């Protein structure tokens, strides 16, 4: 009787601890984090040659929105796992990170397996992408081999501000899937 009670309490304790062990998604790659300023990102990119950052010549101002984007070319670095990288800023803060990965060194399944092991089953998966998300970050692995980090809160605010409605086709697909 006492042994059963101990096992029950041990199980409840392990369950309680595991319920708090939810892995949150990274807010970026390495020391480059979503929400950083342009100057902070430039400083971090200078510290890591894997990104292929060459200085201010990699920084552009998008004419239509007057927002900043940093585009780097890491393909010339034989040790880098990246080929090209983009860092997009909105309101002066890093909104998204797009990392094209080196297909000669990495493969989609290897990256997917590593992410799934670390962060669990993706919230969305289809033949072209796997997407994980939490309240702060959206992380997607897209084919052929691109890893993206997006500020989920900023994206939601932009979507609400734009007032973009679902298309008839999107709504029809959603209704069909709900009926299954």
């Amino acid at each position: 009787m006492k042994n059963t009670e101990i096992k029950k309490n041990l199980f409840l304790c392990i369950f309680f601890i595991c319920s708090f062990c939810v892995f949150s998604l990274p807010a970026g790659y390495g020391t480059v984090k979503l929400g950083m300023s342009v100057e902070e990102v430039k400083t971090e990119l200078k510290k890591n040659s894997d990104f292929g950052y060459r200085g201010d010549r990699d920084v552009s101002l998008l004419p239509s929105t007057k927002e900043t984007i940093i585009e780097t070319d890491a393909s010339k670095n034989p040790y880098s796992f990246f080929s090209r990288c983009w860092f997009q800023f909105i309101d002066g803060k890093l909104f998204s990170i797009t990392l094209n990965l080196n297909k000669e060194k990495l493969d989609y399944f290897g990256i997917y397996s590593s992410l799934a092991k670390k962060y669990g089953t993706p919230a969305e998966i289809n033949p072209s992408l796997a997407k994980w998300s939490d309240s702060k970050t959206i992380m997607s692995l897209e084919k052929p081999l691109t890893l993206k980090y997006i500020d989920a809160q900023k994206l939601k605010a932009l979507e609400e501000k734009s007032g973009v409605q679902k298309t008839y086709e999107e709504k029809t697909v959603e209704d069909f899937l709900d009926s299954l």
Side-chain angles (χ1 to χ4, degrees):
M1 182 83 148
K2 191 166 183 135
N3 204 10
T4 305
E5 190 173 318
I6 291 171
K7 287 180 183 178
K8 179 181 172 186
N9 288 338
L10 182 61
F11 173 77
L12 289 173
C13 186
I14 291 170
F15 177 77
F16 182 73
I17 291 170
C18 289
S19 67
F20 286 102
C21 295
V22 176
F23 295 105
S24 62
L25 295 174
Y29 179 81
T31 59
V32 180
K33 304 293 183 199
L34 297 171
M36 295 174 87
S37 70
V38 174
E39 291 306 317
E40 289 172 321
V41 172
K42 285 196 237 179
T43 299
E44 294 306 316
L45 292 177
K46 287 176 188 174
K47 292 178 186 177
N48 188 341
S49 63
D50 290 342
F51 290 109
Y53 181 65
R54 301 169 301 161
D56 281 339
R57 63 183 164 202
D58 290 341
V59 181
S60 302
L61 192 64
L62 299 174
S64 60
T65 62
K66 296 194 167 88
E67 296 293 347
T68 304
I69 189 163
I70 298 174
E71 179 181 359
T72 67
D73 181 359
S75 63
K76 304 213 181 354
N77 179 346
Y79 305 107
S80 180
F81 289 103
F82 308 123
S83 58
R84 295 187 85 74
C85 307
W86 292 268
F87 304 87
Q88 181 182 357
F89 297 82
I90 294 180
D91 299 327
K93 300 293 182 189
L94 185 57
F95 165 69
S96 72
I97 301 169
T98 302
L99 307 171
N100 279 0
L101 303 172
N102 185 332
K103 292 179 247 172
E104 293 176 13
K105 294 182 177 199
L106 301 165
D107 66 274
Y108 185 89
F109 183 73
I111 300 292
Y112 173 84
S113 297
S114 179
L115 293 174
K117 182 178 179 184
K118 203 169 189 179
Y119 304 111
T121 304
E124 179 183 335
I125 189 165
N126 64 50
S128 62
L129 72 82
K131 185 188 300 184
W132 292 261
S133 60
D134 61 23
S135 62
K136 296 178 182 176
T137 307
I138 298 168
M139 180 176 65
S140 64
L141 177 62
E142 302 175 9
K143 289 186 177 178
L145 201 53
T146 299
L147 186 59
K148 289 185 180 179
Y149 300 88
I150 298 171
D151 182 325
Q153 295 169 340
K154 185 69 174 175
L155 179 63
K156 183 177 180 182
L158 289 170
E159 288 172 344
E160 288 172 359
K161 184 178 174 183
S162 72
V164 173
Q165 303 266 329
K166 288 185 178 179
T167 66
Y168 177 76
E169 185 177 348
E170 289 171 326
K171 183 68 175 137
T172 304
V173 168
E174 187 176 280
D175 289 345
F176 171 76
L177 293 174
D178 286 343
S179 72
L180 299 176

